[in-house]
Amino acid sequence: MEMDSLEVHVVDTFDEEEEEDEDASRYNDDACDPQQQQQEQDLSAEDISPQDLTAESRLCLARSGLRSLPAQLLCGPRLTVLDIRDNLLTELPNDIWRLKGLQEMRLDRNALRELPDGLVQLHDLHTLSAAQNRITTLPAGLLGHMEALRSLTLNSNLLEAAAVSAAAQKPVRENGHANEGDGVESLGPLSHVDLRGNSLCGSIVLADYGALTSLDVSFNKVQSLDLAALEQLRRLHCASNELRHLALSGRSLEVLVAPNNKLQMVQVEPPPSRLQELDLSRNELTMMPSWLVECRGLSSIDVSHNQLTSLPEVVFLLPHLHTMQAGHNSLRSLPTIQNANLSLQILRLQSNALTALPPHLLNCCNRLVELNLSSNRLMVIFDDTGGQLKALRRLMASYNQLGDAALRQIARLPNLKALHLAYNRITQIPAICIDSWSEIQELVLSGNHLISLPESITSLRKLQVLRMHSNQIRSCPTVNQMLSLKVLDLSHNKLEQIDLARLAPPGLQCLDISCNHRLHVDPSHFNQYRSKRAMSLVDTSGQNRSCLPMSPYHEAAALELPWTLGFADGGAWSRFPICQLRLPAFCNTEALLGIFEGSGASGPEVAKLLAQSVPRLLLEERTLPDTAHEYMKYTILSAHRELRQKGQLSGANAVMCHISRPSPAKPYILRVASVGPQGVLLARIGGSCARLTKSAPHSEPNRVLGQSAEFPLVIPDPFVTEVILGETDQFIIGASERFWEYVPEEEAVREVAASLGTSRGSKEANTAAKRLVDLAQGYGCTNSISVMVLSLLGEGLRPSSQSVRVVTPGEAFLAQARSSPSGQSAEDDPHLEHLSSASSSHRFAILVLTLIILKSEPERFKSNFRYLEQIL
């Protein structure tokens, strides 16, 4: 029997653990813990005893439901620490100055819009924290008058540069003149300032706060930052601004973190001899800073995602340099270094233009643990006279031009644990490699020219991941004795016959044999083995078969829709925290896709619950008059409510795509709703692409499902985008957060375009998804990632004159199992069945049952009746 586009996943069974903010709050009410709500009632003045105010110097009223500060609290002059975080305060009384002895005040996560002028009279206050509020103004002269203030934390507010400037002005003497020439001492000992995630923009010059040692202005829109006068500054964080000019004093500087700006150079005078960490990634550097030669204590350098064409030799010779990251540049060569003992342990040079490595460079890196050379133009890595890198544990060299000779050179590495050589020119695995790699745990040789695997590969007793998809392999050795093997990917090969008993060792969690056109499986053997182990079967053609097909697969069946779906997962396979929703034939004529990522211990269960709930919720919200016009938004909010207790401790991110059209005579509309940093790209013919999702600005509340106790600082309200699809739209890429941290958007688009070419079958779409996962892992990603690729057929997106009958889907459409060899598969559900292929009586029974359920909820029954009546 021929099998194509089938994915078999073998899994171990385990026990499972049981509009604007107004819209979000409405959906939060049912999700909050009633006991927690009871504990967070408003605190009255009577709840504060006199002993709290006189006998104790510390008072903690965090999470007390306070809407205003009790008046009698100001009668406690002995109070030294006041903690009123996580309340509902909108303002503070101006007579806060009466707390004369106050030394520390924490106001984080309230709803404050300003700080009172009375604060400037708290002369003993040394710590003031008011992060994650809505503060737009500060008291004039705040910093100048508070003589004891050492730490000021105001991140995630709405402060503009003018407000900060007014607060930083010098104190005024009685004669009306500012304190000129009084020295730094007159401005107090302020040493720590945190202004992340505000609305700062333009140019900032700080010269009067010489005691400042730590400053964070990340996630603003600052264009110029001049801190050359701050000689005590040790740590500066200014990531994600619009910086083109940065001037610093290097006298005390230890940490400089300035990624994601527009810097072409950084002025540091004198040279920062104490510098330990430097991050200038994602800027516009064309050369390394000249002052690096003086940074003898530097241990970490990150200059990735710039425009560098070379690296100076002096950088490699720094005596304490532990990590060097220079990936995603335009490096054509590396410096020639001989007779040196470099301290490098991590060297990342992925996505450059290297054609060869200097003859002796790697011989000088005896301590190297990780080497990443993916996406270069290398034909060899080591020269013939090179020594062994005995400390090397991870070698990533995917997407090069390496052949069999290079693989024999890599056999010199006896302690390798992870080797990624996907998409090279390897035709065989020499026996010397198998003999040398006794410690190997992860071996990826996808996208090469392998015809077979050596029988001796079974001697790799520690091997956990073996990915060999997209080769020419015709047979596979008996691997059922490889007790450590958890992932085996043999998809997109030329397998002709398999025996599951030989391919499934006891610990195997995922076996991928999809897209082997010549493959024959004896159904009786499959069912016999299935009765012994929990297994899940996924049909990547979109037909959602729950058993093996009894006839050969024909891809023509998938061509009825103007799109085909490919999908893949990667990363940790144990308790995979991401669940995909894959319904390419939703309601027979639509597509509903989603990626849900949970966090924390309950992450896998939360992600699975969301994926199970969304199809039903979308149909409900789509037919309710109050929510139909924004059904994508309300589907996400309803999914948040569906989490209830399970999702409150472990939040979740979600992205959901729905393609539909109002009638056959109108074009398809793509709607995307997202909560969190997952990304969805729409690529068009010609190479252009549009990002259809975005993350909330740093100054806005976090958008996360679950965690209702953090409302309104955390809200489930999604971003929603609508696009009318046309003939020039080529494909859609959806991927989880971590994927986009490693793969640039334009590179992902190029990879998918190259994979699809002029074809549009499910095989090509699935290959494209797998290539993206290989690319991210080749760039060093070890986190859990998930990718979907929806290939669009331009002509099929045209309006049609033919009428199409819509069939209501059930949860049978949900594809819970994972497609890729690095995913965690769901347990098999014997009740899974594609509703569109079910008998008429079956559909009728389900619809009647639906009506009975809806009738118990009159509001939903009334709005859904007409819709269901049409279907019947």
Side-chain angles (χ1 to χ4, degrees):
M1 180 177 57
E2 184 178 356
M3 289 179 56
D4 188 7
S5 285
L6 272 181
E7 301 228 355
V8 178
H9 298 258
V10 184
V11 299
D12 287 328
T13 57
F14 56 88
D15 294 333
E16 294 188 3
E17 301 175 1
E18 296 307 311
E19 230 77 2
E20 300 295 334
D21 293 357
E22 293 182 3
D23 295 321
S25 64
R26 175 165 64 88
Y27 283 80
N28 266 318
D29 291 341
D30 295 334
C32 288
D33 184 357
Q35 183 178 359
Q36 183 178 359
Q37 290 180 342
Q38 183 68 27
Q39 293 174 350
E40 295 188 1
Q41 299 297 321
D42 289 353
L43 190 70
S44 64
E46 289 76 13
D47 295 322
I48 302 176
S49 65
Q51 289 77 14
D52 290 332
L53 302 176
T54 58
E56 299 291 339
S57 61
R58 303 174 63 91
L59 180 60
C60 180
L61 300 177
R63 289 186 176 274
S64 299
L66 286 173
R67 296 182 181 275
S68 61
L69 207 60
Q72 71 181 70
L73 186 146
L74 301 176
C75 301
R78 297 182 56 186
L79 200 64
T80 59
V81 177
L82 177 60
D83 185 351
I84 47 178
R85 291 173 292 181
D86 301 289
N87 282 289
L88 303 172
L89 299 172
T90 57
E91 61 179 2
L92 292 177
N94 193 47
D95 57 350
I96 192 75
W97 58 266
R98 296 169 61 184
L99 296 174
K100 295 289 188 180
L102 199 62
Q103 300 177 16
E104 182 177 333
M105 187 189 310
R106 302 196 175 274
L107 309 168
D108 306 333
R109 294 177 293 279
N110 278 280
L112 300 172
R113 297 187 181 277
E114 62 180 5
L115 296 179
D117 293 337
L119 276 179
V120 300
Q121 300 183 44
L122 297 178
H123 299 297
D124 293 335
L125 193 70
H126 61 70
T127 301
L128 175 60
S129 181
Q132 299 185 46
N133 281 276
R134 301 173 186 175
I135 298 172
T136 58
T137 60
L138 297 172
L142 173 69
L143 304 182
H145 285 88
M146 302 185 72
E147 301 172 355
L149 191 64
R150 296 196 301 269
S151 176
L152 177 65
T153 303
L154 293 170
N155 62 283
S156 303
N157 279 285
L158 302 172
L159 291 168
E160 296 183 352
V164 177
S165 177
Q169 67 185 10
K170 296 181 179 181
V172 179
R173 290 179 172 178
E174 294 181 359
N175 58 12
H177 298 288
N179 285 337
E180 301 289 347
D182 285 355
V184 172
E185 291 75 16
S186 65
L187 296 177
L190 186 64
S191 61
H192 170 83
V193 174
D194 187 347
L195 295 171
R196 284 173 295 155
N198 278 278
S199 301
L200 305 179
C201 62
S203 299
I204 294 180
V205 179
L206 287 180
D208 296 329
Y209 294 86
L212 202 63
T213 60
S214 175
L215 175 64
D216 194 338
V217 292
S218 301
F219 302 101
N220 283 283
K221 296 182 180 180
V222 180
Q223 297 164 337
S224 177
L225 188 59
D226 188 345
L227 308 176
L230 303 183
E231 295 188 350
Q232 299 301 316
L233 189 66
R234 296 201 300 265
R235 304 179 65 91
L236 173 63
H237 290 255
C238 52
S240 300
N241 278 274
E242 298 176 1
L243 286 173
R244 293 185 180 275
H245 172 72
L246 178 59
L248 302 170
S249 169
R251 193 173 302 279
S252 304
L253 193 64
E254 297 175 358
V255 175
L256 173 56
V257 179
N260 199 21
N261 282 286
K262 300 178 181 180
L263 294 170
Q264 296 182 351
M265 61 178 298
V266 179
Q267 300 176 7
V268 183
E269 184 64 35
S273 58
R274 300 183 181 181
L275 192 65
Q276 300 175 12
E277 178 184 347
L278 175 65
D279 186 351
L280 295 175
S281 61
R282 301 181 188 275
N283 277 283
E284 299 176 3
L285 300 178
T286 57
M287 62 179 63
M288 297 284 278
S290 59
W291 40 260
L292 280 177
V293 65
E294 303 291 337
C295 303
R296 306 287 294 174
L298 198 58
S299 62
S300 175
I301 297 177
D302 189 350
V303 288
S304 57
H305 295 274
N306 277 283
Q307 301 168 18
L308 301 173
T309 58
S310 63
L311 297 175
E313 178 182 351
V314 64
V315 173
F316 287 88
L317 297 176
L318 293 174
H320 300 290
L321 188 63
H322 174 282
T323 301
M324 178 68 189
Q325 300 187 64
H328 300 276
N329 280 283
S330 301
L331 299 176
R332 298 186 180 89
S333 62
L334 296 176
T336 300
I337 299 176
Q338 300 185 36
N339 302 322
N341 185 11
L342 303 184
S343 59
L344 272 176
Q345 297 185 30
I346 298 175
L347 179 57
R348 295 172 180 162
L349 300 169
Q350 68 273 17
S351 191
N352 278 287
L354 298 172
T355 57
L357 298 182
H360 303 285
L361 175 62
L362 294 181
N363 294 337
C364 301
C365 300
N366 296 325
R367 307 175 191 176
L368 203 61
V369 174
E370 177 181 334
L371 175 61
N372 196 322
L373 298 168
S374 294
S375 289
N376 280 281
R377 303 169 187 173
L378 299 172
M379 300 183 68
V380 295
I381 297 179
F382 309 100
D383 57 49
D384 293 334
T385 60
Q388 291 185 348
L389 295 177
K390 295 183 178 180
L392 195 64
R393 299 292 187 270
R394 295 179 59 84
L395 174 59
M396 329 299 285
S398 298
Y399 294 89
N400 278 284
Q401 301 173 24
L402 303 175
D404 295 344
L407 195 59
R408 285 190 290 271
Q409 291 175 340
I410 296 174
R412 302 172 183 170
L413 311 175
N415 293 313
L416 269 183
K417 292 187 175 181
L419 176 61
H420 285 242
L421 296 176
Y423 296 94
N424 280 284
R425 299 177 178 177
I426 299 169
T427 63
Q428 62 178 341
I429 303 177
I432 187 175
C433 294
I434 305 299
D435 296 338
S436 302
W437 297 338
S438 59
E439 300 295 319
I440 197 81
Q441 298 177 6
E442 188 172 341
L443 180 59
V444 179
L445 291 172
S446 304
N448 281 281
H449 306 293
L450 294 170
I451 299 176
S452 62
L453 298 179
E455 291 290 340
S456 58
I457 200 170
T458 59
S459 64
L460 301 178
R461 298 300 182 183
K462 297 184 179 181
L463 190 64
Q464 300 179 18
V465 177
L466 180 60
R467 300 184 62 186
M468 297 286 174
H469 72 79
S470 305
N471 280 283
Q472 308 294 320
I473 299 173
R474 298 180 182 274
S475 62
C476 182
T478 302
V479 298
N480 61 344
Q481 298 301 316
M482 300 179 70
L483 302 182
S484 298
L485 193 63
K486 294 181 172 62
V487 173
L488 177 59
D489 186 359
L490 296 172
S491 61
H492 298 272
N493 277 287
K494 294 185 178 180
L495 295 177
E496 297 181 355
Q497 191 169 2
I498 65 167
D499 182 350
L500 285 176
R502 298 176 59 197
L503 286 182
L508 194 69
Q509 295 179 354
C510 185
L511 170 63
D512 192 341
I513 55 174
S514 65
C515 299
N516 282 277
H517 294 271
R518 304 180 181 182
L519 185 60
H520 294 263
V521 176
D522 187 336
S524 62
H525 290 173
F526 178 85
N527 292 328
Q528 180 181 7
Y529 192 80
R530 193 177 191 181
S531 65
K532 298 178 181 179
R533 293 193 62 181
M535 300 180 66
S536 178
L537 183 68
V538 178
D539 175 12
T540 61
S541 71
Q543 297 183 14
N544 289 323
R545 288 173 288 212
S546 58
C547 60
L548 288 175
M550 300 307 296
S551 60
Y553 168 75
H554 298 287
E555 194 164 332
L559 296 178
E560 296 175 359
L561 293 171
W563 51 71
T564 55
L565 176 65
F567 46 91
D569 294 327
W573 50 87
S574 179
R575 295 191 60 78
F576 199 76
I578 306 175
C579 188
Q580 292 183 351
L581 172 64
R582 302 186 296 265
L583 308 182
F586 186 64
C587 292
N588 280 358
T589 62
E590 303 176 359
L592 179 60
L593 311 173
I595 297 177
F596 306 93
E597 183 171 4
S599 61
S602 301
E605 289 74 26
V606 169
K608 182 179 178 181
L609 177 60
L610 288 170
Q612 289 173 333
S613 305
V614 160
R616 168 178 55 82
L617 296 174
L618 184 138
L619 286 176
E620 292 177 356
E621 300 297 343
R622 213 173 158 186
T623 53
L624 286 173
D626 292 340
T627 60
H629 62 295
E630 290 186 281
Y631 69 90
M632 291 288 284
K633 170 181 177 178
Y634 289 103
T635 298
I636 292 290
L637 293 175
S638 295
H640 162 78
R641 182 175 57 188
E642 198 85 2
L643 291 178
R644 298 188 182 276
Q645 291 306 307
K646 180 167 284 189
Q648 298 318 305
L649 295 179
S650 299
N653 298 323
V655 64
M656 183 177 70
C657 300
H658 183 224
I659 302 178
S660 64
R661 55 182 174 182
S663 69
K666 293 186 178 181
Y668 283 98
I669 300 176
L670 167 64
R671 295 177 174 89
V672 179
S674 63
V675 179
Q678 293 98 332
V680 174
L681 300 181
L682 173 62
R684 294 189 167 96
I685 295 175
S688 63
C689 71
R691 186 178 179 92
L692 305 182
T693 56
K694 64 176 182 177
S695 299
H698 204 269
S699 57
E700 290 187 9
N702 292 329
R703 296 176 187 260
V704 178
L705 298 183
Q707 298 184 353
S708 297
E710 301 294 329
F711 179 83
L713 300 172
V714 173
I715 60 175
D717 198 28
F719 290 110
V720 179
T721 305
E722 294 187 6
V723 177
I724 298 177
L725 296 177
E727 295 183 29
T728 60
D729 295 313
Q730 191 176 9
F731 54 84
I732 299 169
I733 304 174
S736 55
E737 173 187 6
R738 294 292 187 179
F739 173 84
W740 299 112
E741 293 181 5
Y742 287 86
V743 180
E745 294 178 1
E746 62 276 7
E747 191 166 355
V749 170
R750 286 198 305 269
E751 282 295 323
V752 174
S755 297
L756 295 179
T758 58
S759 304
R760 63 167 300 275
S762 58
K763 177 180 178 180
E764 288 76 18
N766 212 44
T767 301
K770 286 179 175 290
R771 281 180 69 102
L772 290 182
V773 169
D774 286 330
L775 187 63
Q777 292 183 334
Y779 285 167
C781 180
T782 57
N783 306 101
S784 299
I785 55 176
S786 187
V787 175
M788 288 185 179
V789 174
L790 193 71
S791 176
L792 303 173
L793 179 62
E795 294 183 358
L797 298 175
R798 293 176 180 174
S800 172
S801 59
Q802 300 178 353
S803 60
V804 180
R805 186 185 181 195
V806 177
V807 179
T808 305
E811 292 190 11
F813 282 90
L814 177 64
Q816 296 177 4
R818 313 225 158 259
S819 69
S820 105
S822 298
Q824 176 64 44
S825 185
E827 295 183 12
D828 179 56
D829 184 353
H831 303 292
L832 287 181
E833 184 175 357
H834 198 299
L835 209 59
S836 63
S837 61
S839 65
S840 299
S841 59
H842 188 193
R843 291 200 300 269
F844 182 83
I846 292 178
L847 292 173
V848 170
L849 179 60
T850 305
L851 283 172
I852 294 174
I853 295 173
L854 288 174
K855 198 168 183 179
S856 64
E857 302 180 37
E859 293 182 5
R860 291 199 181 275
F861 176 76
K862 188 179 299 183
S863 60
N864 282 275
F865 183 77
R866 285 188 179 179
Y867 179 71
L868 294 170
E869 188 178 36
Q870 292 175 358
I871 298 172
L872 287 172

